[in-house]
Amino acid sequence: MARHTFPRELRLLTPAQFKNVFDNPVRAASPHLTLLAKPNELDHPRLGLAVPKKALKRAVWRNRVKRVAREAFRLKQHQLPSVDIVVIAKKGIGDVPNDELFELMDRLWRTLSRRCNGSA
């Protein structure tokens, strides 16, 4: 059975890892979120989060978005291709309820998977 955890090796940790994703990525976007992805040499996907103060002023609001994004990734990680993903929050995401945010993330994961597998 697949383990649904979010250990350290499933995270983008260094600025170099983030920069690699920002260089010529595959995009999936909505009015509230942008997902950037780039294939990696590992056998699993990794996640990085960028939730700027400009999009959400309060730390609790930023933390909620990050928590939902991590949980959505944790549940979908085994269905994603081996890519590094950066989730970027945009202005207005604070008004989206958690359940709608989960659905939005799910749609964007599928779009990203299709685009990454199609380019491979």
Side-chain angles (χ1 to χ4, degrees):
M1 181 164 173
R3 294 186 59 199
H4 294 287
T5 59
F6 189 59
R8 189 172 175 88
E9 58 265 9
L10 294 181
R11 302 177 194 168
L12 294 179
L13 300 170
T14 65
Q17 291 171 338
F18 276 85
K19 185 175 179 345
N20 181 43
V21 176
F22 286 120
D23 294 337
N24 197 18
V26 174
R27 289 175 41 100
S30 78
H32 302 295
L33 286 173
T34 298
L35 271 60
L36 304 176
K38 195 160 188 188
N40 65 29
E41 302 298 320
L42 308 169
D43 61 344
H44 54 80
R46 294 189 299 180
L47 178 71
L49 299 168
V51 184
K53 279 186 184 179
K54 198 170 194 172
L56 293 164
K57 297 287 184 218
R58 303 259 168 126
V60 291
W61 299 342
R62 292 191 301 275
N63 291 341
R64 178 185 71 91
V65 171
K66 290 190 282 190
R67 190 169 48 252
V68 169
R70 281 193 298 264
E71 182 67 5
F73 176 81
R74 186 183 72 79
L75 295 173
K76 284 286 185 187
Q77 67 186 348
H78 300 293
Q79 296 157 14
L80 295 171
S82 295
V83 293
D84 291 341
I85 303 168
V86 175
V87 175
I88 303 170
K90 297 180 188 174
K91 222 171 191 41
I93 194 168
D95 301 330
V96 180
N98 285 0
D99 57 340
E100 288 180 29
L101 197 52
F102 266 106
E103 290 172 19
L104 175 62
M105 295 287 292
D106 194 41
R107 272 198 319 273
L108 292 173
W109 296 137
R110 285 196 305 270
T111 301
L112 209 56
S113 293
R114 263 194 324 272
R115 290 183 181 170
C116 288
N117 288 335
S119 66

